[in-house]
Amino acid sequence: MAATRETQALDYDAIVIGAGMSGMYQLYRLRELGMKVRVFEAGTGVGGTWYWNRYPGARFDSESYTYGYSFSKELLEEWDWSEHFAGQPETLRYLNLVADKFDLRRDIQFRSRVASAIYAEDTRSWSVTLADGSQFNARFLVTAIGPLSTPTMPRIEDVDRFGGQSFHTARWPHEPVDYAGKRVAVIGTGATGVQTIQTIAKTVGHLTVFQRTPNWCAPLHNSKIDAEAQKKIKANYPDMFRRCQETFACFIHTPDTRGTFEVSSEEREAFFEKLYAEPGFGIWQGNFRDILIDRKANAVISDFVARKIRQRVKNPKVAEKLIPRNHGFGTRRLPLETFYYEVYNQDNVELVDITETPIERVTPRGIKTSDREYQFDIIIYATGFDAITGSFDRIDFRGVDGVRLKDKWKNGPQTYLGVMVDGFPNMMMLMGPHTALGNIPRSIEYNVDWVTGLIRFARESSLTRVEATATGVMAWTDHVKALGVGLLSNEVNSWMTGYNTNVEGKQTRIVARYSGSAPAYRARCDEVAAKQYDELALA
Ligand code: NA7
């Protein structure tokens, strides 16, 4: 007798792709349901972003204690963050502790890159093939592949001909890299480039920064957490997490209710000064409510930060190069910095504006611009990621009737709540396109809990197929696009708008992120769950 979908044995109840923060937590939650789960992870360890991004100076721009998992009181009690904004090694230690504490590793298969995931209607299951050809199937497929996990190298001629050492920041070696006394180049000045530059500038022999677009940056103001502060943080966890639930993007900072021009110019200046002097994202996420939507308001804060840059950089010509001209403050992801601008006051640091003297090619000895050849021992590519959809594009996802996800999304992603796609039953995305990102772990925990709720419901109701409807997908996609109208950031090329000069076909801006408030996002998802997922096609 042929196996039916009820009787046929599947390898697993669920397969999760990726063992970063979302995959780890998803595993924990699905196990609680008594499910047999397998996580496939390309790396050799847990941690995702914090596993791969080992570049010098990698650290949080969110307050450490707002970034950790909130689901286990015991874990919160046990773990001490040493700094208000922890560095990558500490975060990776934390995630390894989580993996140990909850015994996660026994269900995670490392060194296992997923090549394809194909839906089979007859068994209502997903068949996952790894790069080594091995295959596994499961009823449910959860993608935990990260919005910023597919690094992109610059499209520069002869990039592989360099004779010295070269690294992409997101593929940093596990062994220490020694830059003391070396001639080092950094290409890229996003959040990653800024952290790298300010860190290696302390020890390099000579540093050359190749900048295409300057970004607006503001001080991080990091500091150590002493015993007294540690106690307070722990006592305050419930309130702090509650606050993160209430704010616009799950940070402890949230927009001020006042408009930029509702206060006097003195008051405005004093408020900006206060924000500039405070730790973290306050100047971006806790500024006047209109700075990211009103051009005039945005020009005022941009002018304030430009003045700061001019004060901090001694050479006026260099200062002008570091001031963005093609986008306003905060309309791209704001890099937070620690004496970044002061780096350009060092005699051994040079800023090359490659809009003036473009890079022609990489040579065996260094980099050739239109102006001259620079010689280097090390080239660091801080050139970012094929963001949001890139990690989906590199896996061959095929849904009902063999339809490829990549084809379905060729004009931009279309999702239901950022979690599901019609034609891709039993597949759920964590931190997928069109979901609320913000302070990511807070969003991850919500996303995972929602997906877990849906899977629990399906199992309790003996459902073997849950799928978003085409109408549901259209409505959510339209909603996300409508929310993006008027946002200055959606008029700017950046990873947040899916724009990447290094990836074929990604030179058109798309609405890639949900830009409403996190509470509104959760309210909508909660409503769907409360109505027993009746907006989905259930079978
Ligand atoms: P980003 O923010 O995408 O920055 C990449 C940087 O690399 C940016 O300055 C780019 O300039 C530059 N870049 C990219 N390609 C080239 C080429 N071909 N030539 C010269 N310069 C280039 O990535 P990050 O890794 O810094 O940060 C990503 C996010 O990860 C970050 O926001 C955090 O949320 C975590 P461009 O601006 O495109 O002119």
Side-chain angles (χ1 to χ4, degrees):
M1 195 180 77
T4 66
R5 60 179 164 260
E6 282 78 23
T7 60
Q8 195 213 30
L10 297 171
D11 296 319
Y12 301 104
D13 296 321
I15 287 176
V16 177
I17 313 177
M21 283 195 82
S22 52
M24 291 167 69
Y25 181 49
Q26 186 67 77
L27 168 60
Y28 174 83
R29 281 290 184 225
L30 292 183
R31 258 195 203 162
E32 280 186 332
L33 301 185
M35 290 171 69
K36 193 175 164 198
V37 186
R38 191 70 162 169
V39 181
F40 294 112
E41 164 58 51
T44 59
V46 298
T49 289
W50 303 103
Y51 167 88
W52 295 104
N53 287 271
R54 293 163 191 257
Y55 63 85
R59 72 172 59 248
F60 292 151
D61 284 342
S62 299
E63 290 73 9
S64 309
Y65 25 91
T66 73
Y67 197 98
Y69 290 114
S70 72
F71 70 87
S72 161
K73 270 200 185 117
E74 215 181 275
L75 175 66
L76 289 169
E77 269 314 309
E78 181 176 344
W79 179 261
D80 290 348
W81 292 105
S82 72
E83 292 177 280
H84 285 272
F85 301 88
Q88 175 272 337
E90 181 169 335
T91 307
L92 189 58
R93 275 200 305 280
Y94 166 75
L95 294 172
N96 274 290
L97 171 97
V98 173
D100 292 337
K101 186 176 173 62
F102 300 103
D103 190 19
L104 298 180
R105 280 177 231 279
R106 69 181 149 92
D107 291 322
I108 304 175
Q109 186 172 318
F110 295 103
R111 295 187 175 83
S112 299
R113 182 169 289 287
V114 171
S116 70
I118 296 172
Y119 179 70
E121 193 66 89
D122 55 347
T123 51
R124 294 183 175 171
S125 69
W126 282 90
S127 172
V128 166
T129 304
L130 305 183
D132 68 5
S134 51
Q135 280 188 349
F136 305 90
N137 61 5
R139 172 78 68 225
F140 296 102
L141 177 68
V142 183
T143 68
I145 52 186
L148 292 154
S149 58
T150 304
T152 45
M153 286 291 284
R155 290 201 278 193
I156 301 176
E157 214 174 305
D158 293 336
V159 82
D160 47 9
R161 283 194 61 211
F162 181 57
Q165 290 180 293
S166 64
F167 312 103
H168 189 286
T169 45
R171 288 294 174 270
W172 203 260
H174 291 203
E175 306 72 44
V177 175
D178 180 19
Y179 0 82
K182 303 262 174 72
R183 298 163 303 176
V184 182
V186 176
I187 302 180
T189 48
T192 300
V194 165
Q195 289 186 334
T196 305
I197 291 161
Q198 69 196 14
T199 306
I200 64 172
K202 293 175 188 153
T203 47
V204 288
H206 193 277
L207 174 63
T208 310
V209 176
F210 292 89
Q211 172 188 272
R212 184 165 67 184
T213 313
N215 282 297
W216 297 101
C217 308
L220 175 68
H221 297 300
N222 189 20
S223 58
K224 296 257 183 260
I225 297 174
D226 61 24
E228 195 54 33
Q230 194 73 256
K231 258 191 168 148
K232 275 196 191 141
I233 287 167
K234 290 197 176 173
N236 193 39
Y237 265 134
D239 284 348
M240 194 274 301
F241 285 125
R242 201 171 311 122
R243 168 146 180 90
C244 290
Q245 292 295 301
E246 289 163 0
T247 58
F248 192 87
C250 305
F251 295 103
I252 51 174
H253 315 278
T254 204
D256 196 282
T257 51
R258 298 169 299 170
T260 303
F261 301 108
E262 288 169 12
V263 300
S264 69
S265 55
E266 292 76 25
E267 227 178 303
R268 190 159 58 230
E269 187 77 4
F271 183 51
F272 288 161
E273 286 289 357
K274 175 175 166 290
L275 292 173
Y276 199 79
E278 282 174 355
F281 273 145
I283 196 162
W284 188 33
Q285 297 290 325
N287 213 314
F288 292 118
R289 65 163 197 267
D290 50 2
I291 63 147
L292 301 177
I293 43 176
D294 180 310
R295 261 169 241 288
K296 285 191 183 139
N298 187 266
V300 177
I301 179 67
S302 299
D303 176 64
F304 173 86
V305 180
R307 277 185 275 136
K308 290 289 180 194
I309 298 171
R310 289 189 185 104
Q311 282 162 17
R312 291 174 58 185
V313 178
K314 286 189 189 138
N315 181 329
K317 278 194 190 139
V318 176
E320 292 313 309
K321 283 183 186 171
L322 289 164
I323 296 172
R325 311 281 165 192
N326 65 357
H327 66 282
F329 176 85
T331 60
R332 294 171 127 206
R333 200 283 206 183
L334 183 78
L336 293 183
E337 46 83 27
T338 306
F339 301 121
Y340 171 66
Y341 290 109
E342 286 71 14
V343 164
Y344 297 98
N345 296 335
Q346 289 180 212
D347 292 339
N348 63 342
V349 176
E350 184 179 359
L351 178 66
V352 178
D353 179 346
I354 58 171
T355 61
E356 284 173 5
T357 54
I359 295 177
E360 289 179 347
R361 63 179 177 279
V362 173
T363 69
R365 292 190 307 179
I367 291 173
K368 167 86 176 70
T369 66
S370 60
D371 181 42
R372 54 176 266 225
E373 182 177 359
Y374 296 79
Q375 294 189 12
F376 298 113
D377 304 302
I378 302 175
I379 300 178
I380 298 175
Y381 297 100
T383 45
F385 302 88
D386 184 358
I388 311 216
T389 52
S391 50
F392 287 90
D393 289 349
R394 68 174 171 174
I395 296 174
D396 187 8
F397 288 102
R398 291 194 221 172
V400 175
D401 296 332
V403 170
R404 287 195 157 89
L405 186 62
K406 196 170 175 167
D407 291 338
K408 196 167 173 72
W409 284 358
K410 70 176 182 301
N411 297 320
Q414 298 171 18
T415 77
Y416 175 72
L417 307 177
V419 179
M420 299 172 85
V421 184
D422 57 311
F424 293 77
N426 298 352
M427 174 174 136
M428 290 84 164
M429 304 176 291
L430 302 173
M431 296 296 95
H434 293 174
T435 193
L437 296 175
N439 192 15
I440 284 212
R442 303 280 63 79
S443 307
I444 285 175
E445 283 189 336
Y446 181 78
N447 241 204
V448 167
D449 288 344
W450 193 89
V451 166
T452 309
L454 171 60
I455 292 179
R456 182 194 298 116
F457 174 78
R459 286 166 62 86
E460 287 172 358
S461 319
S462 301
L463 299 169
T464 47
R465 196 180 190 283
V466 295
E467 185 189 3
T469 64
T471 328
V473 167
M474 211 187 299
W476 182 253
T477 305
D478 288 349
H479 175 61
V480 169
K481 285 185 182 164
L483 285 172
V485 174
L487 257 191
L488 299 176
S489 61
N490 280 351
E491 298 167 12
V492 174
N493 297 343
S494 77
W495 69 258
M496 300 200 295
T497 49
Y499 193 97
N500 191 317
T501 59
N502 304 310
V503 183
E504 199 68 53
K506 294 208 170 169
Q507 287 81 51
T508 310
R509 284 197 294 270
I510 57 166
V511 177
R513 295 171 313 133
Y514 169 86
S515 51
S517 77
Y521 175 77
R522 288 192 302 264
R524 176 74 182 97
C525 295
D526 286 350
E527 177 196 335
V528 173
K531 290 199 280 173
Q532 307 227 304
Y533 310 95
D534 67 356
E535 290 180 23
L536 299 176
L538 305 170

